[in-house]
Amino acid sequence: MEWLRNPSNEHRGTDLYRNISLLSIVGHGGMGKTTLLQHAYKDDITKDFDRKMWVCVSNNFDVKKVIADMLECFKNERPRLESLGALQRRLEEEVKSKKFLLVLDDIWEEDEDKDKIKWEDVLAPLSSGGFGSKIMVTTRTDAVALMFAKVIKKKKEIIKLEGLDEDECLQLLNSHAFAGVENHPDDHENLRVIARDIVKKLSRSPLAAKVIGGVLNDNLDERHWRTVLESNLLDQNSIHSILRLSYIVLPNHLQNCFAFCCMFPEDHEFDKDDLVRMWIALGFIHPSQGMTMEDIGGRYFDVLVKKALFDKVEDDYKMHDLIHESASKFFAQECGKLVDDEESSLKISETIRHLSVRTTNPNILRKIEKFKHLHSLFFFYKNSNEQDLCSGLIEIFKSLRSLRLLYMRAYDQLEMIPEEIRYLKHLRYFKTEGLEFTRLPRSLSNLYLLRYIILDTWMLIVPEDDFLPSDINNLSNLRYMKLPKNYNLWILGIRKLKSLQKLDMFYLRNEKGYRIDELKHLNDLCKLGINCLEYVKDVEEARNAQLCEKRRLTDLTLCWNTTYSRNTDLDENVLDNLQPPKCLRNLSIERYMGVRSAIWMNNVNLLSNLEKIDLSRCMEWETLPPFGQLPFLKNLKLHDMPKVKWLESKFNGNDKYRAFPLLENLYIEGLEALEDWFEAGVAAEDGCFFPCLIQLMLSNCPMLKELPSLPPKLKNLRICRIGWTTLNFCSNSNPIPLETLKVIDCPNITSLPLADEIARLAALTVLTIRNCHNLISLGRYREVETTNNCLLILSILRISDPSVLLMEPLRSIAFLKELSISLNYKLVSFPNEAEEWFLNIRSSLCKLKFKWLKSLQALPSFLESLSSLQELYIADVWMLRELPNLPPSLKRLIIIGDGHQRLKERYGEDGGSDRHKIAHIPQIDIRPR
């Protein structure tokens, strides 16, 4: 952390990589290198970096792939660039003059000279990065660390991980071995003695401690633990043999599932749901009374996670590279990999069940045909010749007739999967990535065992009207289908797909085969969206959908396509008869034009499991259901409902209860008639409104009288276009936990009582006050001792009018890291009194931003005195002609906007007359928007 904090760890000099520092984390596999850097990478200290990149490298790395991975970190999408030069230029543009942090995880040494040349190609674009940029590397060898230091001409700097102390290793093992055990630790004293002996054989490896802890957790029996202790695999003192023990002891059903995971490349991010689908397709999971195969597979996966064979990384899961390496060798007779090398195919048994192929060589396609017993094929192909790919696929389809799973990723356009896919009669799972079809093969609808069709692409090519085979509804075993995001799901006669579990959006038409009664027998649906409900002609047709019979339905979206004038009574009657089952958790309704709620919505018992409600553009709806009585509701969003007067009304004589007991997020926008939170006469137990509310966002509710008593857990409050003259901070809590307060576009507001509550607002770190033109007071400030308890201490302040800086308590602010002044088209200059305010916070202010200030002609001259200022950001301040003297501490100057041509002429690096005045700043970026 200290190394990350320091701008540079050595003399800058004039070399190519003078702005960059390098640190290598070295240690054997499983010692915690990646885990250590994950903690550092997520720490708040890294927020100071403009660009953050994390790339898993592993062995056989490809230069273009590594650069593409870096670029993907910025926009979460793969760059569609082919040549190395184009990728390098894009990366150079992205990091130019920006302070970046790059983690290169798990670098291997293969051929030192060859690798050095490849890494020079990867790192060359990064030389344009700003001062203070950092590269962190993890590797198993000192040689890689030395090679990297040579590439960027730095002194080798290493942190070496040698493993855990024995006591720490024991603590880690026990935490996994006794996970979920409720008994007192003393109840297993005999096992703890054995655990201490086991730890002595684990080579101080935290990975081994986690995995063997998972093995021990299976059975808290002394005989089982002694069997593990006395295992020959532990005695070999090898991390690979230790790991091998963890999957040898798996029961057969789990061993099959785990072995198959070796098919995926190192560092693959596993999608739990998708992996379970693959297991089902391969026959690893069998139905059980009362549970779906998906539920059973999910439990299998959770067991493997508990055994530390997978690690959770944000929303996905990864297999540790050492586990992957070890398991791939152990299950080599079942799972094989063919990576761009014809010779390696000779070493793979022809009876292998699962094969992954990565190649650019069309000749290798011919080699695949001999593996006639394959159950799964993962096919990654990159070649510009589409004809080679098509002819190769035809022969593969003809040969691999036992195939149950086909996953294809081709990096070049393939407009059509060959019709010969019809030969794959046993196919249950079909997935493509990156392929841009104009249509699916007609013969696909003859593969009657198909359960999953997943086309994972953005579909840049507009699909033809007959994209889907007309008889796709023949696939009666189909459980899940994912089509490109911009392709509507028009399936004629969807009623035949009785096994379907997810239907994100079903578009109704006024034609046979597209009406709502098509959903009648689709009772396995977990997720369902229905659009164009205006085509439902009567109550009987709505009732025929039989939504309440779908006992697994947890997610329901109901949409009408327009808000044009319709038969209001029909809308109400249709919604009455679209009653969902009690198990529903998420409900969205859009463009409903009824005046009242559906009958079933007023029955709290029928909605008791709801966790999320989203009502949008329901223009005539007047009285909301009793959402405040729902016991598990956590998220409520109401958008564009201009006739709703109260959030909660009186129902069934029950006018006293605990209102919204678990609600955490409340978003209200465009409720123009909203007068109050509760109808007159509604009272909550002990005055307890919103006891768990964390985030409240209010926008465009001009009639709303006031805030409720500030909820005791509220951390984020945003009000926008509200008609109040003041903000009521009345609260039952002491202190007020508010961390973020935003008041935007509220022209009537004259007072914000910050000063009145300053002693209770100690948690407030982010304050925004914008376009509140009549604000004249921030409360009554009382003269008190200037201690930290009585002064406002903010991290970020965003304002549009500098005059608020002269109002207490902002006038006496004690601490501020970032100030932004924006969206003021009348401001010409800063008041003279502002200088004293800026000098008060000069020792803490790090970032200063001026944005969208049309009339501002000059920045204040006292900026030079801001001794801690590191970044100055100017955007669209068009009248600005020159810069004042800037402080020596400044590290970054950014000027963005099309109207700054004069500033660019004066301060630009290509001959600007006043460039010398800012030459001391390491990172300067002057560019159009």
Side-chain angles (χ1 to χ4, degrees):
M1 303 308 287
E2 193 59 41
W3 181 85
L4 279 171
R5 241 182 235 108
N6 293 333
S8 178
N9 62 331
E10 56 186 70
H11 179 65
R12 289 183 62 198
T14 58
D15 60 272
L16 189 63
Y17 298 99
R18 61 185 177 276
N19 288 339
I20 301 172
S21 305
L22 171 71
L23 182 66
S24 298
I25 313 295
V26 180
H28 296 306
M31 286 299 176
K33 304 182 294 295
T34 300
T35 304
L36 173 63
L37 286 201
Q38 282 170 344
H39 283 285
Y41 191 78
K42 293 174 184 176
D43 194 273
D44 283 348
I45 195 172
T46 65
K47 288 180 179 177
D48 289 335
F49 291 93
D50 307 304
R51 292 281 189 266
K52 288 173 64 176
M53 299 165 278
W54 182 293
V55 178
C56 298
V57 181
S58 301
N59 51 359
N60 297 314
F61 88 93
D62 174 74
V63 172
K64 289 196 287 187
K65 180 184 181 301
V66 171
I67 297 178
D69 287 346
M70 290 185 197
L71 291 169
E72 192 173 359
C73 293
F74 303 141
K75 297 180 180 176
N76 289 324
E77 62 181 39
R78 204 77 182 159
R80 300 181 65 83
L81 299 171
E82 291 299 322
S83 71
L84 174 59
L87 286 164
Q88 288 175 316
R89 285 190 294 276
R90 173 73 66 81
L91 181 58
E92 184 174 359
E93 290 167 8
E94 288 287 350
V95 302
K96 187 175 183 180
S97 300
K98 292 182 173 61
K99 180 180 171 183
F100 67 80
L101 171 62
L102 168 63
V103 174
L104 295 168
D105 187 32
D106 195 23
I107 298 177
W108 290 62
E109 181 186 26
E110 293 155 27
D111 181 325
E112 183 179 347
D113 293 332
K114 188 177 176 182
D115 283 358
K116 188 170 182 288
I117 294 169
K118 288 164 73 175
W119 281 114
E120 285 169 350
D121 287 339
V122 170
L123 300 176
L126 300 176
S127 63
S128 66
F131 178 63
S133 295
K134 306 278 187 179
I135 298 176
M136 304 177 87
V137 167
T138 73
T139 179
R140 298 184 189 181
T141 66
D142 285 349
V144 169
L146 180 59
M147 181 267 292
F148 252 84
K150 288 179 179 176
V151 169
I152 65 172
K153 299 178 177 59
K154 299 288 178 183
K155 182 176 63 179
K156 184 176 73 170
E157 192 167 358
I158 287 178
I159 291 177
K160 200 144 192 172
L161 299 189
E162 303 283 5
L164 298 176
D165 291 340
E166 191 173 298
D167 286 345
E168 293 171 333
C169 202
L170 178 63
Q171 186 179 348
L172 181 58
L173 177 127
N174 283 338
S175 70
H176 287 268
F178 295 106
V181 177
E182 297 180 3
N183 297 13
H184 191 274
D186 293 343
D187 293 348
H188 300 288
E189 196 56 43
N190 55 333
L191 299 183
R192 292 177 182 276
V193 173
I194 300 171
R196 186 167 288 281
D197 291 333
I198 290 174
V199 158
K200 293 173 182 175
K201 299 183 177 184
L202 300 186
S203 305
R204 303 173 63 188
S205 166
L207 177 63
K210 285 169 59 178
V211 169
I212 296 302
V215 172
L216 298 172
N217 182 257
D218 276 345
N219 188 346
L220 299 184
D221 176 75
E222 186 172 345
R223 181 181 299 173
H224 171 64
W225 284 45
R226 288 205 175 276
T227 300
V228 173
L229 172 62
E230 293 161 7
S231 166
N232 291 332
L233 291 170
L234 284 194
D235 289 333
Q236 291 177 27
N237 199 28
S238 156
I239 185 66
H240 286 291
S241 61
I242 293 170
L243 296 178
R244 203 174 302 148
L245 176 63
S246 67
Y247 37 81
I248 285 176
V249 300
L250 289 174
N252 284 340
H253 64 281
L254 288 181
Q255 196 173 92
N256 288 334
C257 293
F258 176 70
F260 170 73
C261 297
C262 300
M263 292 294 301
F264 296 88
E266 280 187 17
D267 298 312
H268 177 78
E269 293 181 351
F270 289 90
D271 179 313
K272 176 181 176 180
D273 294 338
D274 199 32
L275 183 61
V276 168
R277 292 182 200 118
M278 294 181 184
W279 288 345
I280 293 170
L282 292 167
F284 297 157
I285 298 170
H286 302 287
S288 175
Q289 192 73 31
M291 286 185 72
T292 66
M293 289 188 288
E294 285 78 7
D295 291 338
I296 296 168
R299 290 192 177 187
Y300 286 2
F301 188 84
D302 292 341
V303 171
L304 295 176
V305 171
K306 187 178 179 183
K307 291 178 176 298
L309 295 174
F310 290 100
D311 291 315
K312 197 170 192 320
V313 181
E314 296 180 351
D315 293 331
D316 291 303
Y317 297 84
K318 279 191 174 185
M319 188 188 298
H320 192 282
D321 56 349
L322 209 59
I323 293 176
H324 185 278
E325 183 184 334
S326 172
S328 296
K329 291 177 182 175
F330 184 77
F331 294 112
Q333 292 303 307
E334 298 173 49
C335 306
K337 293 189 184 70
L338 185 54
V339 182
D340 231 351
D341 181 359
E342 288 186 67
E343 293 302 317
S344 65
S345 66
L346 300 174
K347 302 173 186 175
I348 301 176
S349 166
E350 292 188 12
T351 61
I352 202 162
R353 285 287 190 262
H354 312 291
L355 181 67
S356 173
V357 179
R358 292 176 176 270
T359 185
T360 58
N361 185 348
N363 294 325
I364 288 194
L365 300 181
R366 300 282 180 264
K367 299 291 183 183
I368 300 173
E369 299 165 25
K370 69 179 182 179
F371 301 107
K372 298 185 185 298
H373 302 284
L374 280 184
H375 282 186
S376 68
L377 174 63
F378 289 76
F379 183 61
F380 303 87
Y381 184 75
K382 187 170 185 180
N383 192 296
S384 57
N385 192 325
E386 184 182 344
Q387 186 56 45
D388 283 344
L389 177 57
C390 277
S391 58
L393 285 176
I394 290 171
E395 296 307 314
I396 288 171
F397 293 161
K398 287 180 178 179
S399 301
L400 307 184
R401 300 197 181 200
S402 296
L403 212 59
R404 286 148 169 75
L405 183 154
L406 175 61
Y407 174 101
M408 295 175 54
R409 183 178 182 108
Y411 296 87
D412 293 292
Q413 184 174 312
L414 179 69
E415 290 192 5
M416 186 70 150
I417 294 285
E419 291 288 346
E420 283 76 6
I421 198 171
R422 67 179 178 273
Y423 289 110
L424 304 181
K425 298 293 186 186
H426 294 282
L427 196 65
R428 291 157 167 80
Y429 177 104
F430 175 54
K431 180 175 181 178
T432 68
E433 282 188 328
L435 294 169
E436 297 171 358
F437 306 129
T438 54
R439 64 204 293 262
L440 285 175
R442 309 296 91 177
S443 60
L444 196 70
S445 56
N446 295 326
L447 303 180
Y448 300 114
L449 296 178
L450 258 178
R451 288 174 169 164
Y452 307 106
I453 299 176
I454 302 169
L455 309 183
D456 211 345
T457 175
W458 285 93
M459 190 59 74
L460 297 177
I461 295 176
V462 178
E464 298 175 5
D465 289 340
D466 61 344
F467 178 76
L468 292 172
S470 59
D471 53 353
I472 192 78
N473 60 3
N474 284 345
L475 303 178
S476 58
N477 288 299
L478 199 66
R479 300 170 77 84
Y480 177 75
M481 179 160 57
K482 180 182 178 182
L483 297 177
K485 288 184 182 294
N486 61 344
Y487 186 75
N488 293 339
L489 188 53
W490 304 106
I491 297 180
L492 176 65
I494 203 170
R495 66 172 66 224
K496 293 170 70 175
L497 302 181
K498 293 181 182 178
S499 299
L500 212 57
Q501 295 184 323
K502 286 190 178 181
L503 189 54
D504 291 337
M505 193 58 71
F506 179 54
Y507 291 81
L508 304 180
R509 291 183 184 178
N510 194 19
E511 302 173 32
K512 186 177 180 181
Y514 293 106
R515 295 196 176 105
I516 197 168
D517 60 358
E518 292 291 320
L519 303 173
K520 181 174 182 178
H521 298 299
L522 274 59
N523 288 334
D524 285 344
L525 285 170
C526 303
K527 181 178 182 181
L528 172 63
I530 310 174
N531 203 349
C532 307
L533 281 164
E534 61 271 18
Y535 286 121
V536 179
K537 63 180 184 295
D538 56 36
V539 169
E540 187 62 31
E541 190 177 359
R543 191 180 296 126
N544 279 342
Q546 294 190 6
L547 296 191
C548 60
E549 298 301 316
K550 304 183 192 324
R551 302 300 183 192
R552 300 187 62 229
L553 190 66
T554 58
D555 196 316
L556 177 64
T557 300
L558 301 172
C559 301
W560 283 257
N561 199 36
T562 68
T563 54
Y564 299 138
S565 95
R566 292 200 302 268
N567 183 333
T568 298
D569 289 342
L570 179 59
D571 272 18
E572 291 174 352
N573 291 330
V574 165
L575 191 58
D576 281 343
N577 287 276
L578 292 177
Q579 179 182 329
K582 191 174 179 179
C583 57
L584 196 72
R585 292 183 183 176
N586 302 321
L587 174 65
S588 296
I589 300 176
E590 187 171 344
R591 299 190 188 94
Y592 166 65
M593 295 300 286
V595 173
R596 61 170 175 82
S597 306
I599 295 169
W600 52 267
M601 296 183 79
N602 294 326
N603 186 335
V604 173
N605 290 328
L606 295 178
L607 302 177
S608 60
N609 289 301
L610 271 179
E611 296 175 8
K612 182 178 181 181
I613 298 173
D614 187 342
L615 307 182
S616 178
R617 288 177 276 188
C618 302
M619 311 301 284
E620 302 297 323
W621 205 332
E622 293 182 356
T623 303
L624 294 177
F627 291 150
Q629 298 179 46
L630 297 178
F632 301 115
L633 186 65
K634 291 184 178 180
N635 298 280
L636 176 60
K637 181 177 181 180
L638 307 173
H639 181 264
D640 284 352
M641 300 178 69
K643 295 192 175 182
V644 171
K645 293 184 177 182
W646 302 285
L647 207 61
E648 190 74 356
S649 304
K650 290 196 291 185
F651 280 93
N652 304 323
N654 181 11
D655 57 2
K656 192 163 185 163
Y657 57 88
R658 189 174 172 82
F660 297 96
L662 285 186
L663 193 70
E664 294 178 356
N665 299 295
L666 177 58
Y667 178 96
I668 298 177
E669 181 176 6
L671 271 65
E672 294 164 11
L674 188 70
E675 297 175 3
D676 209 339
W677 300 95
F678 302 97
E679 185 180 7
V682 175
E685 277 181 17
D686 304 321
C688 191
F689 299 138
F690 310 115
C692 293
L693 196 67
I694 295 172
Q695 180 163 283
L696 173 59
M697 299 178 69
L698 297 171
S699 180
N700 196 23
C701 302
M703 305 295 291
L704 187 61
K705 294 173 184 174
E706 61 180 359
L707 274 177
S709 178
L710 208 61
K713 296 184 179 179
L714 191 68
K715 291 184 177 180
N716 303 309
L717 172 61
R718 182 183 188 271
I719 61 171
C720 181
R721 297 192 295 279
I722 300 291
W724 303 330
T725 56
T726 188
L727 188 64
N728 176 21
F729 269 129
C730 178
S731 173
N732 297 327
S733 65
N734 192 10
I736 299 170
L738 205 62
E739 295 174 0
T740 300
L741 172 62
K742 298 180 180 180
V743 185
I744 301 169
D745 296 332
C746 294
N748 293 345
I749 207 155
T750 58
S751 173
L752 287 177
L754 296 178
D756 306 66
E757 303 288 356
I758 193 167
R760 298 201 296 157
L761 284 170
L764 190 66
T765 58
V766 179
L767 175 63
T768 301
I769 305 172
R770 281 188 185 146
N771 294 334
C772 300
H773 305 302
N774 291 306
L775 183 68
I776 57 174
S777 168
L778 296 180
R780 292 168 297 174
Y781 189 70
R782 293 179 289 275
E783 291 297 328
V784 291
E785 289 183 335
T786 54
T787 65
N788 285 343
N789 292 330
C790 301
L791 293 177
L792 207 55
I793 300 176
L794 298 175
S795 290
I796 300 173
L797 174 62
R798 301 186 181 107
I799 59 173
S800 55
D801 185 357
S803 66
V804 302
L805 300 177
L806 307 179
M807 301 178 192
E808 296 290 4
L810 289 183
R811 188 182 189 108
S812 301
I813 195 167
F815 180 91
L816 185 66
K817 290 185 70 173
E818 179 180 325
L819 172 66
S820 173
I821 303 173
S822 64
L823 293 166
N824 187 329
Y825 297 151
K826 295 181 180 179
L827 181 67
V828 176
S829 62
F830 281 81
N832 294 330
E833 299 92 328
E835 180 172 2
E836 182 182 352
W837 184 90
F838 273 95
L839 293 179
N840 282 343
I841 49 97
R842 62 184 168 186
S843 60
S844 62
L845 191 66
C846 298
K847 290 185 180 181
L848 182 56
K849 299 181 179 183
F850 300 97
K851 301 185 291 184
W852 303 298
L853 305 172
K854 276 186 180 179
S855 305
L856 185 66
Q857 297 180 359
L859 298 183
S861 59
F862 48 75
L863 293 191
E864 186 179 14
S865 304
L866 303 181
S867 55
S868 295
L869 193 65
Q870 296 185 19
E871 179 180 317
L872 177 60
Y873 181 97
I874 301 167
D876 299 313
V877 187
W878 299 321
M879 299 295 289
L880 199 60
R881 298 290 181 265
E882 66 176 339
L883 300 174
N885 291 333
L886 298 175
S889 60
L890 202 64
K891 299 288 190 299
R892 298 182 65 210
L893 172 63
I894 301 169
I895 302 175
I896 294 177
D898 298 324
H900 291 136
Q901 188 57 35
R902 292 192 183 182
L903 285 180
K904 187 169 184 180
E905 289 171 3
R906 292 186 66 167
Y907 299 100
E909 60 182 339
D910 47 351
S913 57
D914 287 337
R915 179 72 177 191
H916 63 281
K917 295 183 179 179
I918 60 172
H920 66 284
I921 303 171
Q923 184 179 339
I924 301 171
D925 187 4
I926 305 175
R927 55 185 163 87
R929 185 168 293 283

